[in-house]
Amino acid sequence: MTSTKEAKEYDDIPGTFVFDADRSRQGYHLNMFCMSLMKDENRKAFKANEGEYLNRFPLTPEQREAILERQYNRMLELGGNIYFTAKLGATDGHSFQHMAAVMTGSTQEDYAKMMLGGGRSVEGNRSRSGRDAVPKKAAPRKAAAKSKSTRPSASKRGKKAGSKRG
């Protein structure tokens, strides 16, 4: 798929593929494949012959390869949504923690320790373009003007006295 998508300010976050409208369109068929795995009969058909099952979806050659090779990061790069691609991992009998460990290049035990320890440091994982940007000063907030409601009273709106609505 040739992409003419416009560069976005978040495109340069190391190792991150933001699932935005462009990626959603790019990965539509990849994600529909993953969602098909919610049905038992589809999981069985896929596991019986993965290549043949994938022929049901107009995937790009790159998407097809990423699925067959279980390249989860590549699937995200090619438009996969993490929640949808997790269905492929589940079809293979893997937990989300296992998949996350694979995607970060660590063992499941090391990944769990890292997450329990507060997660990955933001240092080195920020947007390259935004790393050195000078923070914008927030515009001063105007004090909310105290004004009386312009809504007529219940009696002027024709409501019955004692009505709960008003």
Side-chain angles (χ1 to χ4, degrees), residues 46-111:
F46 175 67
K47 293 306 280 182
N49 189 328
E50 294 184 2
E52 183 177 310
Y53 185 83
L54 290 178
N55 289 336
R56 299 179 185 186
F57 303 89
L59 301 164
T60 67
E62 294 85 5
Q63 290 170 331
R64 184 181 176 89
E65 178 184 8
I67 293 167
L68 293 172
E69 299 294 323
R70 303 307 195 268
Q71 299 168 341
Y72 293 102
N73 288 330
R74 182 74 172 135
M75 284 185 249
L76 299 183
E77 183 180 8
L78 297 171
N81 177 293
I82 187 66
Y83 299 106
F84 295 166
T85 57
K87 307 223 179 301
L88 176 58
T91 296
D92 289 337
H94 299 302
S95 68
F96 195 84
Q97 183 176 316
H98 169 85
M99 289 178 49
V102 168
M103 293 169 75
T104 59
S106 67
T107 66
Q108 193 169 336
E109 182 179 325
D110 288 343
Y111 178 80

Side-chain angles (χ1 to χ4, degrees), residues 2-3 16 19 21 24 27-28 34 40 61 63 68 75 81 88-89 102 112 116 130 134 136 152 163:
T2 304
S3 177
T16 300
F19 188 74
S24 175
Y28 178 80
C34 291
D40 186 52
Q63 290 170 331
L68 293 172
M75 284 185 249
N81 177 293
L88 176 58
V102 168
L116 290 171
V134 177
K136 294 178 184 178
S163 171

